[in-house]
Amino acid sequence: MTSYSRVRDAVADHLLTPQNSAVVIIDFQPVQVSSIASRDKRQLVANITALARIAKLYGLPTVLSSVNVSTGRNQPTIHQLTDVLQDTPIIDRTSINAWEDQDFVSAVKATGRKKLIMAALWTEVCLVHPALDAIADGFEVYPVVDACGGTSLEAHNAALDRLFQAGAKPTSWVQVICELQRDWNREATVPGFAEILFAIEGH
């Protein structure tokens, strides 16, 4: 067992750590979920719920946003997320691009983190637009590709291609949890890590 006795700088680390990253979840609402055609809807909900649980386990600052709830045009965020993120305020917007909402951008900047782990519905709209703007503003964006969905597989993939061409760094929810945990010797989060990971991936 030869883990280094000196832990890498958790803020300056080029990889994701609980001290240098934030989670951004956008527009997981019933209408958006029901319209997804790029992956199985139940799997999508399970994956985004796992991401929310990961954020809570590792204490990541989390920005949660919805669109058009206050106007009455849309339904609130799905309960699977709000059940996990009970203490996280939901920033409701009218702008399709969340980066064009002042409260949203202020909340992201208030996290003090430059690495943004992002998931949104739809991939081709509510992920790609704010992610491109965030990159232009100097943030590192990590789209969680299996916790997003589009109105077609082609739309989902085209959106991700556009993000990768702009410098986004693709990841998955399993990659995120393993990157944050990094070492079984970090015992405080091992039980939660195992519970989240093996609840979906099995033993």
Side-chain angles (χ1 to χ4, degrees):
M1 302 223 289
T2 56
S3 297
Y4 286 106
S5 58
R6 183 176 180 180
V7 178
R8 282 153 53 164
D9 187 324
V11 175
D13 200 328
H14 68 100
L15 297 178
L16 297 171
T17 74
Q19 292 77 29
N20 70 12
S21 53
V23 168
V24 179
I25 299 175
I26 303 171
D27 298 353
F28 277 80
Q29 295 163 257
V31 170
Q32 281 88 335
V33 172
S34 66
S35 64
I36 293 304
S38 61
R39 72 170 53 249
D40 178 80
K41 298 177 181 66
R42 289 188 179 184
Q43 182 188 54
L44 173 68
V45 171
N47 291 353
I48 193 60
T49 303
L51 182 63
R53 293 181 67 196
I54 291 165
K56 189 169 184 179
L57 175 65
Y58 293 96
L60 299 182
T62 302
V63 177
L64 184 59
S65 186
S66 61
V67 65
N68 264 335
V69 175
S70 59
T71 63
R73 295 190 179 111
N74 207 347
Q75 295 173 296
T77 301
I78 58 174
H79 74 86
Q80 290 90 339
L81 284 180
T82 56
D83 288 349
V84 175
L85 302 172
Q86 296 177 11
D87 301 323
T88 303
I90 300 174
I91 300 167
D92 192 49
R93 326 174 315 277
T94 58
S95 62
I96 293 173
N97 178 0
W99 211 260
E100 294 182 33
D101 183 272
Q102 184 175 351
D103 291 340
F104 177 87
V105 175
S106 295
V108 171
K109 291 182 177 179
T111 68
R113 310 293 175 88
K114 281 294 187 179
K115 298 181 186 291
L116 304 181
I117 303 165
M118 294 184 70
L121 299 181
W122 301 317
T123 316
E124 66 266 32
V125 181
C126 297
L127 176 66
V128 73
H129 295 164
L132 288 172
D133 275 341
I135 292 168
D137 282 354
F139 290 87
E140 294 178 44
V141 171
Y142 296 76
V144 186
V145 298
D146 55 355
C148 300
T151 56
S152 69
L153 182 58
E154 292 86 354
H156 172 78
N157 288 338
L160 292 178
D161 286 346
R162 186 174 175 189
L163 286 176
F164 303 156
Q165 290 167 11
K169 303 174 180 181
T171 191
S172 67
W173 75 264
V174 171
Q175 185 175 346
V176 168
I177 195 172
C178 291
E179 199 164 335
L180 294 172
Q181 180 65 34
R182 206 81 65 83
D183 194 326
W184 290 103
N185 285 332
R186 300 175 185 179
E187 295 180 357
T189 50
V190 165
F193 169 84
E195 181 183 354
I196 295 168
L197 184 60
F198 298 134
I200 296 179
E201 296 304 325
H203 293 279

